[in-house]
Every structure is written in structure tokens, then in C-alpha cells.
């Protein structure tokens, strides 16, 4: 079995023994504490039983004070004139005895006089007391029962005159007086009736109302090792040891509760202390055992280290890497044949030099030589892997090497292992690769310069092509109205000479229309060329659409316009003027596409596309466009309209406006029904 397995097994045994000891200690402690609490509780319960008996006995003869009162005898015999004085007398007795009421009853249990308000008397109590008195031989009887959570306790005595029973004297005892002394001692004493309904408690937290809730009160049996049986009470997770005595005459149950919280705390403390003590004992025993084992194995380790060093030298002599074993001061204690060949050393020469003497100081990595010189200072932090350095042969020639050094355990005489790998061939290859990379970089720079020049020329050609296209479109669009204006002006000169004013006015009207047409073309160019940014804000698509439809009411007069938009559509991030221009351009294009359709229909719908976007779609059932036009739909100066109907800037301006509002727009042909659909996405404000 290995040493690790032995330690694991020993630890498991320790844990098992500590666990068994802890549970045994906890069990014994809990048993002793419960027995002590049971004995103390029994003594206290007997004390409280005597206290209850003594307190109740002080009230036993109170009803005779009424039975011997002359005015009370006269009232019960029918003299109602003395009722007031009797009530006052009963009130005085009530205050003096500190009771809860004095009452005078007839033989049927009806109230004749009282120290309290009549509303405090229950006629049912009178009937029950009268029945009990009729079955006695003139002794004082007790009557008690539980009304809701209040216990009523009565003392009743028969009233005689000439050996004839004429009435009943009743005194109601205040049972709360029983718990006054209990509260002072801060102990928990409970009283319940014969149906186990609690009506009196000395605890402010264990009230009768709480205890009579069956779901919060749990009684469970509890037994001791000697066979003694008792009970435990759990109320809202608080546990108590319960001891009970029954009054046979009153049919009461007296409970004395001992809190088990302190017992549990003491058990936990003792268990914790036992764990610490047992753990310390086992740790000390384990420490002594480990110490003996270490002393026995130390000699074995020294022998194994010596054997390991011999085997290590044997392995080093067969490797193809230079290996050096250094002592604590950095002197070479062994160098393998590959190392001797690297440094051109003989065995005699290698046995009397320090490792730092094999590395040059005037070039390469002199830090290696400095480190080897100061090995004792840096012993605890040395762990070097694959550091390039320049080594030096015995003839003075230099060669590049990869230097690695590892610290050995302190138990060995050898302090460090140094690994040397000759990288002369690799350095030559690296130098050749660097030269090739430098040449490649020069070629790339030359090619990049040529490509940049070609790109600049291509951009310039594209600009000239776009300028030529724009010039040809503008020239073509403006030449026609200019030619018309020139012709109309020539004819106007002739009309002036002939004094034909009506025709002259007609010509001037045509000139104005041609000028307006030219102004419209130039305004489109101005909007396309100069697009001033504006502040974006939260705007309503519904409000802007309503205004735009009102502006284009006339061209839409013969079109079936359908608007589908939810009432709770969120506002978008945009600008009223730009959105109105976008909707206007798309509606005008749709009207142009619907000019040759029998039942023109334009559908405008808006929905919330996602949490951050609103989608707007404008759908018509017009003629649509071909695939070639669809690819150039938003390019400036691209149009399929006849000459004079526009410059082809409408959708280009629309695209710019949508982009300025951080939205997107796309157009597609409808698969069914013909026509086109323009889809726009806007950001939710």
C-alpha cells in the first residue's frame, strides 16, 4: 500500500472516530441534561400545584358573606326595596375580594342582584349553578368551564332560612390572579380544561389563542433510558419538555414547560468541544507517527538520491543535448559527451571550471553569464526555459545556443541542471528567412503603390463618368424647355407687331410653365446635392401620413387607399419634414404606376417589427418594374420615365432621407397581384 493511500486511510479512521465520539458525547450530554430538566420541572410543578390550591382555597368561603347578609335574605324573599343596597354591598365585596363579580340568584338560577352590569352575566351559567346546588347538601360547590379562550370559575353557596333553601350566593373568581406570581418568576405554566383547551398561561408568547391552534401545537412522546415516559411540546419550532398534573375535582390539567433550546445549545457546545478535543488528540498522535516515519525514511531517501544521481549521469551521457550538472556555487560537477563536444572541452578541463566561463560577455545575452555568476543569490527563483544566448568554445569561437536551467531539490549535492542546445543551423535559416521577408515586403510595397495609383485613376474615371451622365441628363432635360421658350419668344415678337394680345398672353403662360418645369429640375438637384442634417425627435407615423395623404388628395382621388395601422404604434426617431417627403415621393411613384390599372389600389401598413424597430410598407397593384430597373432603383439620374417627367432623383432623395433618420428602405415586385412593395424600417424613439 502506498504512503498516500495509508494517509488517506488514516484520515478516514480519524474522521470516523471523531464522528462516533461526537455523537456519543452528544447523546450522553443530552440524556443527562433532559433528566436534570425533568427532575427540576417535577419539583417546580408540585410547587405550582400547591400554589394553585392555596390561591383557590382563599376564595372558598366568600359566598357565605352573601348568605348571611340580612338585606340579601330580604331581597331573595321578595322585598325589592333593598335591591339597591344589596347591589352596593355586592360591589363592595367584589372590590375588596378582587374578584370578577358577586351575584344573588333565586332557586331557578335567575339573577336578582349583581355587583356588575347585567350584560356580564350569562343566564346559562345561572341555570347550571342552580342545578348543581339543588343536588348538594348545603356545601359550597364549584362550577367552571371554558368559554372560547376565557375560563369561568364560580363558587356558589345555598341560602337557607328556617332550614329552607330560598336562593343561591355566587362569587366569580379571577383566575388571572393565579398567573401573577408565575410571570414574576418568568416560568411557563399552562392550564387547560378536561377537553385540553388552554385558558390560562403565564407566558406572554404562549397565549391560549396560540396554543389552541392545533396546527401550531405538536405533542410528541419522549422517553428516558430508564423507561420514564414524558412528552415534548413544539410550538412554532420552539421545543419544550412537558410535565402534567390533573386536578380531578376541577378537571384541570396543569402543564409545566421547560425550554429545550438551552439543552440543545449545551449539547451543541459539548459536541463541538468534544470534536475539537478528539481532533487535537488524533492530530497529535498522527504527528508523532509521521515524525517517526520521516526519521525512518530520511536515510532511505539519501540512499535513493545517491543512486538516482548515478542513474542520471548514465542517462545524460546518452542524450544528444548538452547537459551540465552544477553544484550550489555554479561549478561544473558533470558534463555529458554532447556538452564536451559543443564546447570543445576535455574531461580534465571541464572538471575545474565554472559554468559562467562558457558564455561570452561582450555580445549576445550577457544576462546568462551574470546569472550563473550569482547563483547563490537567485537560487529560490531560478527556472529558465529556452533562452537564446551566445556560448564560447575553448578555442574562442562563438555559437548560438538555447539555454535552460532548473533548480534541483535541496537534498542533493547537485544544485542545478543546465540544458544546452546548439541552434547554429536554425539561426542561419532564420537569417535567410528574414532576408526573404524583407524582399517580399519591398515587393508588396511596390505593388500596393501601383494598386493605389490604379484605384485613384479608377475613382477619377468614375467621377468623370458620373459627371458626364449627370451633364447629359441635365442638358437633355433643359434643352427641350429652352428650345420651347426660344420658339415662344420669337412668336411673341411677331404677335406684338400684329397686336394679338390674347395669343401673346397664352405664349407667356406657356413660357412660365416651362420656367417652372426647369426650376423644379434644379430644385431636385439642390435637394440631392445639399442635404442639411436636422435634429431627430420622436414623431408619429400616423400624424405625418395623415397630413401627406391630405396634400396628395387630388392625385389619389381615383385610387382605393387602404391604411392599416394599430392604435398603439410607438413613435419613431425621425423628422416630420423628411418623413413627409419620403411618404410623398413613394405615393407619387405609386400613383404613376397605377395610371394604367383598371382598379388602382394603394395599401399603407405599419407594424412594430421588434422591440426597437417599426416597419412601414407601401404596396400598390400597378405595373411594377423589370429586374434591371430593380437593381438600379435608388441610383440618381436613373429613370424609365419619358423625357421631361423627371431627373430620376426622387428615390435617391428618399434613400438619403431614410438614412438620415437611421432607417432602411428596400423595394421589391409583388409575387401575386402585380405592383411593388416598398419596405421601410425606422428606429423606435
Amino acid at each position: 500500500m502506498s504512503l498516500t493511500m495509508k494517509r488517506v486511510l488514516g484520515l478516514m479512521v480519524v474522521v470516523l472516530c471523531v464522528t462516533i465520539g461526537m455523537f456519543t458525547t452528544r447523546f450522553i450530554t443530552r440524556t443527562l441534561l433532559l433528566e436534570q430538566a425533568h427532575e427540576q420541572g417535577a419539583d417546580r410543578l408540585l410547587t405550582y400545584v400547591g400554589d394553585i390550591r392555596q390561591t383557590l382555597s382563599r376564595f372558598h368561603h366568600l359566598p357565605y358573606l352573601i348568605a348571611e347578609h340580612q338585606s340579601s335574605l330580604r331581597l331573595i324573599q321578595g322585598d325589592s326595596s333593598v335591591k339597591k343596597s344589596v347591589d352596593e354591598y355586592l360591589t363592595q365585596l367584589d372590590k375588596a375580594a378582587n374578584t370578577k363579580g358577586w351575584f344573588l340568584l333565586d332557586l331557578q338560577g335567575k339573577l336578582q342582584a349583581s355587583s356588575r352590569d347585567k350584560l356580564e352575566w350569562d343566564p346559562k351559567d345561572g341555570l347550571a349553578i342552580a342545578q348543581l346546588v339543588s343536588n348538594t347538601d348545603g356545601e359550597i360547590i364549584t362550577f367552571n368551564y371554558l368559554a372560547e379562550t376565557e375560563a369561568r370559575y364560580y363558587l356558589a353557596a345555598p341560602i337557607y332560612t328556617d332550614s329552607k333553601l330560598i336562593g343561591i350566593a355566587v362569587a366569580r373568581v379571577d383566575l388571572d390572579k393565579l398567573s401573577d406570581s408565575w410571570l414574576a418568576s418568568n416560568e411557563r405554566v399552562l392550564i387547560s380544561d378536561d377537553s385540553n383547551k388552554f385558558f390560562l398561561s403565564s407566558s406572554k408568547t404562549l397565549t391560549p389563542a396560540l396554543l389552541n391552534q392545533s396546527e401550531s401545537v405538536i405533542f410528541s412522546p419522549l422517553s428516558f433510558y430508564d423507561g420514564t415516559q414524558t412528552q415534548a411540546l413544539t410550538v412554532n419550532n420552539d421545543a419544550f419538555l412537558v410535565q402534567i398534573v390533573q386536578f380531578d375535582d376541577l378537571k384541570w390539567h396543569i402543564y409545566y414547560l421547560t425550554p429545550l433550546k438551552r439543552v440543545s445549545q449545551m449539547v451543541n457546545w459539548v459536541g463541538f468541544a468534544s470534536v475539537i478535543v478528539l481532533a487535537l488528540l488524533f492530530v497529535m498522535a498522527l504527528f508523532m507517527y509521521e515524525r517517526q516515519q520521516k526519521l525512518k525514511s530520511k536515510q532511505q531517501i539519501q540512499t535513493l538520491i545517491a543512486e538516482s544521481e548515478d542513474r542520471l549521469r548514465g542517462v545524460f551521457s546518452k542524450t544528444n543535448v548538452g547537459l551540465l550538472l552544477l553544484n550550489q556555487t555554479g561549478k561544473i560537477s558533470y558534463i555529458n559527451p554532447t556538452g564536451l563536444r559543443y564546447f570543445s572541452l576535455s574531461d580534465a578541463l571541464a572538471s575545474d571550471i565554472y559554468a559562467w566561463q562558457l558564455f561570452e560577455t561582450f555580445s549576445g545575452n550577457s544576462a546568462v553569464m551574470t546569472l550563473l555568476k550569482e547563483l547563490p543569490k537567485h537560487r529560490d527563483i531560478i527556472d529558465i526555459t529556452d533562452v537564446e544566448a551566445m556560448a564560447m568554445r575553448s578555442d574562442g569561437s562563438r555559437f548560438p545556443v538555447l539555454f535552460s536551467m532548473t533548480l534541483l531539490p535541496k537534498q542533493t549535492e547537485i544544485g542545478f541542471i543546465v540544458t544546452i542546445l546548439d541552434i547554429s543551423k536554425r539561426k542561419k535559416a532564420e537569417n535567410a528567412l528574414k532576408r526573404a521577408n524583407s524582399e517580399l515586403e519591398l515587393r508588396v510595397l511596390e505593388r500596393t503603390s501601383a494598386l493605389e495609383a490604379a484605384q485613384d485613376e479608377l475613382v477619377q474615371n468614375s467621377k468623370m463618368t458620373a459627371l458626364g451622365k449627370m451633364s447629359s441628363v441635365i442638358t437633355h432635360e433643359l434643352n427641350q424647355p429652352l428650345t420651347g421658350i426660344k420658339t415662344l419668344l420669337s412668336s411673341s415678337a411677331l404677335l406684338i407687331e400684329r397686336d394679338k394680345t390674347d395669343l401673346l398672353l397664352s405664349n407667356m403662360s406657356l413660357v412660365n410653365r416651362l420656367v417652372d418645369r426647369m426650376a423644379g429640375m434644379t430644385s431636385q438637384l439642390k435637394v440631392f446635392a445639399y442635404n442639411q442634417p436636422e435634429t431627430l425627435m420622436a414623431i408619429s407615423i400616423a400624424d405625418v401620413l395623415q397630413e401627406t395623404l391630405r396634400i396628395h388628395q387630388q392625385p389619389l382621388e381615383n385610387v382605393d387607399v387602404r391604411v392599416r395601422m394599430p392604435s398603439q404604434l410607438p413613435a419613431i426617431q425621425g423628422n416630420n419634414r423628411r418623413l413627409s417627403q419620403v411618404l410623398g415621393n413613394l405615393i407619387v411613384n405609386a400613383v404613376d404606376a397605377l395610371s394604367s390599372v383598371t382598379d388602382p389600389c394603394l395599401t399603407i401598413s405599419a407594424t412594430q417589427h421588434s422591440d426597437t424597430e417599426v416597419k412601414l410598407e407601401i404596396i400598390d397593384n400597378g405595373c411594377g418594374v423589370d429586374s434591371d430597373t430593380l437593381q438600379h432603383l435608388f441610383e440618381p439620374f436613373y429613370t424609365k420615365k419619358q423625357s421631361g417627367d423627371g431627373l430620376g432623383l426622387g428615390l435617391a432623395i428618399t434613400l438619403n432621407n431614410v438614412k438620415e433618420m437611421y432607417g432602411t428602405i428596400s423595394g421589391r415586385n409583388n409575387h401575386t397581384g402585380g405592383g411593388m412593395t416598398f419596405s421601410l424600417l425606422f428606429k423606435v424613439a
Side-chain angles (χ1 to χ4, degrees), residues 1 94 122 180 297 316 373 446-447 476 481 510 554 661:
M1 184 181 295
D94 193 5
D122 191 345
D180 291 343
S297 62
F316 285 174
K373 269 189 174 183
E446 293 174 358
R447 185 60 178 166
H476 178 74
L510 291 174
Q554 184 177 358
M661 293 186 288

Side-chain angles (χ1 to χ4, degrees), residues 431-460:
N431 293 333
L433 182 61
K434 287 181 180 179
R435 288 193 296 272
N437 287 337
S438 299
E439 294 176 359
L440 182 60
E441 288 178 0
L442 290 176
R443 293 180 183 177
V444 170
L445 290 175
E446 293 174 358
R447 185 60 178 166
T448 302
S449 300
L451 290 175
E452 289 177 351
Q455 184 179 8
D456 292 340
E457 184 178 357
L458 181 62
V459 171
Q460 189 65 24

Side-chain angles (χ1 to χ4, degrees), residues 629-665:
T629 303
L630 195 62
Q631 295 178 2
H632 305 281
L633 201 59
F634 297 100
E635 291 183 9
F637 305 109
Y638 187 89
T639 179
K640 289 291 186 176
K641 295 181 180 179
Q642 295 181 356
S643 178
D645 290 342
L647 296 176
L649 294 177
L651 289 178
I653 294 172
T654 298
L655 176 62
N656 288 340
N657 283 333
V658 172
K659 286 183 177 180
E660 289 294 332
M661 293 186 288
Y662 301 103
T664 59
I665 183 173

